[in-house]
Amino acid sequence: MPDAPLASGPAGPTHLRPLLDTVLTALTEGATARQGPLPAGGPTTVTEHVRRTVGHPLPEHGTGDEEALTTLVQLLAHGAADPADPLCAAHLHCPSLAVATAADLAASALNPSMDSWDQAPAASALETLVTDALAALVHPSATALVTTGATEANQLALLLARETHTPATLQLVTGANAHHSLQRAAWLLGLPEPITVPTPTDVLDPTALNDTLTQLPKATVLVAATAGTTDAGHIDPLPAIADVCDHHGARLHIDAAYGGTLLFSDRRRRLLDGLDRAHTVALDLHKLGWQPVAAGLLTVRDRGETRALAHQADYLNADDDIHAGLPDLLDRSLRTTRRPDIFKIATTLRALGRTGIGALVDQVCDLASGFAHTIDSHPRFELYARPTLSTVLFRPHHIEDAALGRLRRTLLTEGHAVLGRAHADGRLWLKVTLLNPHTRPADLAGLLKLVEGHTSR
């Protein structure tokens, strides 16, 4: 059997170049065949198409690089929910910037592993440099850990809080608007059942929080606030919440997975006033940062707290190696082998700069504001609230929730549009999350006509 070509080494780029042409052609052909934001037909049709195209997933004899790439990349592109399509707007699922995707290819080709310096010399130094710069946007003394997203960041935040205050029991207090990963993190860490403060307006009320903390028995408390809720994109009143935490001696974590990149915007960063008062902050650049998954961070105000993650494994961070000056990377994550996800982020920051990323953030938020105005003035639609970020909730007038759910599923299964759903004010709403800076008002006007047409049906 001939040698299988490698992606790195002096000959790596030569082997990659024709394969990349194959991939790019297959991406184009698959997207063209899809003809919309997602494949038509629903789960059964898509699953059958995948089974028919793939056949046996582990053939006795391979088909070769070109055929395998052509077949499976076309299949993936044809069956994708494409976040670059203006009518794919359900989730916090962004289209990736081309420069970030190209950088990710280099990282995949070289394949550094971020668990010891001798596997990632330049990548480890770059990670320290870039994470410190991003953490400084939150607090001048903070550092940051790279995560797979806010779910891991929230879990790390609870872990660091627990280890910092050992042996006291840690009690998590969240708003009902908080992300479900916080509840799961408390369960995974064996913490007491979290206390949930009702949030009828989708933000954590400082007075209600104060009442809850006043009634708590003496305990070490971690309050988790949100800067960008999943359902509506709302931001909790962070300065007032920080005041309540200070008054009660509670630790503060802020899940800013959605809203954190407002830090890049001169116009909107004031919405994050109070973020610097948190002990830890979760950020996601694969939402309003246009990075390929994964691109998460946890900023930690007290750098010394990351020592709780320290671990010794002689083959990775032997004492004599550390004393000789080789950096110890095991206190940067709970994971051992991990990709250099910071590289695509670093490339994007260099290419666009803070103002360039801030301009993209402003663009999608402005688009959401304009779309909300259009809905509010439309005689056949109802707007839930003016958007804080780039999420807009709306519904047609005179439609029951069950019918609205069916309408959304019909748009999905017919391949016309990917819209989200959210419950607010006791009713079901359609959710549009605008993360695509190439979407235009005309695209959204077409979306309203599409929903209106299916409502009448």
Side-chain angles (χ1 to χ4, degrees):
M1 178 181 176
D3 291 338
L6 301 178
S8 59
T14 302
H15 296 312
L16 273 174
R17 188 166 285 111
L19 297 179
L20 293 182
D21 286 340
T22 300
V23 167
L24 295 175
T25 299
L27 282 172
T28 301
E29 291 173 349
T32 300
R34 186 180 63 242
Q35 295 183 332
L38 80 167
T44 300
T45 299
V46 172
T47 299
E48 178 55 33
H49 178 59
V50 170
R51 290 182 180 276
R52 188 171 58 250
T53 302
V54 173
H56 197 292
L58 181 60
E60 188 67 23
H61 301 287
T63 61
D65 296 348
E66 185 171 352
E67 189 283 334
L69 283 170
T70 297
T71 299
L72 293 185
V73 174
Q74 282 184 359
L75 175 70
L76 186 67
H78 178 270
D82 186 358
D85 189 292
L87 300 191
C88 187
H91 302 289
L92 289 165
H93 175 202
C94 71
S96 300
L97 291 169
V99 67
T101 304
D104 217 22
L105 168 65
S108 293
L110 294 168
N111 208 27
S113 182
M114 304 294 290
D115 49 318
S116 66
W117 183 88
D118 58 353
Q119 299 176 81
S124 60
L126 185 65
E127 181 176 270
T128 299
L129 189 67
V130 176
T131 52
D132 280 353
L134 290 171
L137 293 175
V138 176
H139 191 280
S141 69
T143 188
L145 306 175
V146 178
T147 71
T148 53
T151 293
E152 183 187 349
N154 286 338
Q155 183 179 350
L156 275 175
L158 267 66
L159 175 64
L160 293 180
R162 186 190 72 180
E163 295 304 298
T164 299
H165 296 284
T166 299
T169 299
L170 181 69
Q171 177 64 65
L172 174 64
V173 177
T174 74
N177 62 343
H179 194 265
H180 64 83
S181 61
L182 285 158
Q183 298 270 345
R184 296 190 74 190
W187 168 67
L188 284 168
L189 293 171
L191 299 178
E193 182 73 18
I195 294 171
T196 302
V197 181
T199 54
T201 61
D202 198 41
V203 294
L204 181 56
D205 176 52
T207 300
L209 175 63
N210 181 69
D211 292 343
T212 298
L213 297 187
T214 300
Q215 295 167 18
L216 273 181
K218 190 66 176 177
T220 299
V221 175
L222 173 64
V223 172
T226 306
T229 59
T230 303
D231 277 350
H234 289 156
I235 296 175
D236 289 340
L238 304 180
I241 289 172
D243 288 342
V244 172
C245 291
D246 287 347
H247 176 71
H248 289 275
R251 185 180 174 97
L252 176 60
H253 169 66
I254 298 176
D255 180 352
Y258 183 9
T261 48
L262 294 185
L263 290 168
F264 293 97
S265 166
D266 291 330
R267 289 169 50 199
R268 288 183 164 87
R269 63 180 303 149
R270 60 177 179 77
L271 295 174
L272 296 180
D273 286 351
L275 198 71
D276 60 328
R277 298 174 63 182
H279 295 79
T280 51
V281 176
L283 303 171
D284 259 3
L285 294 179
H286 56 240
K287 292 183 172 66
L288 270 182
W290 299 281
Q291 299 298 294
V293 174
L297 297 163
L298 177 73
T299 72
V300 184
R301 193 174 69 189
D302 181 352
R303 290 168 173 260
E305 291 183 0
T306 64
R307 286 195 295 268
L309 304 179
H311 185 74
Q312 204 276 326
D314 195 62
Y315 75 105
L316 295 174
N317 60 349
D319 287 341
D320 57 327
D321 281 346
I322 302 305
H323 291 321
L326 296 185
D328 181 359
L329 305 185
L330 285 189
D331 64 351
R332 306 300 298 171
S333 177
L334 285 176
R335 293 171 285 149
T336 304
T337 301
R338 59 186 179 92
R339 299 184 77 250
D341 287 319
I342 201 65
F343 183 70
K344 61 199 171 193
I345 299 172
T347 306
T348 302
L349 297 178
R350 184 176 179 87
L352 274 69
R354 182 187 65 79
T355 57
I357 298 172
L360 293 179
V361 171
D362 287 335
Q363 190 168 329
V364 294
C365 291
D366 288 345
L367 182 68
S369 181
F371 184 47
H373 177 75
T374 299
I375 293 169
D376 204 25
S377 58
H378 197 293
R380 299 198 62 179
F381 290 100
E382 179 182 356
L383 177 70
Y384 170 64
R386 303 296 299 179
T388 304
L389 295 173
S390 64
T391 298
V392 180
L393 302 185
F394 73 101
R395 55 180 286 140
H397 284 302
H398 313 303
I399 186 172
E400 294 183 354
D401 284 359
L404 188 61
R406 288 193 297 271
L407 184 154
R408 173 184 170 272
R409 289 189 293 274
T410 298
L411 292 174
L412 279 174
T413 55
E414 292 180 354
H416 293 315
V418 189
L419 300 180
R421 54 183 288 158
H423 278 93
D425 195 25
R427 292 183 292 168
L428 181 66
W429 301 79
L430 295 176
K431 178 173 71 170
V432 169
T433 307
L434 298 172
L435 301 182
N436 184 351
H438 290 187
T439 299
R440 297 292 177 259
D443 298 317
L444 300 176
L447 173 62
L448 286 182
K449 288 185 178 179
L450 186 63
V451 173
E452 189 175 3
H454 279 70
T455 304
S456 61
R457 281 169 51 185

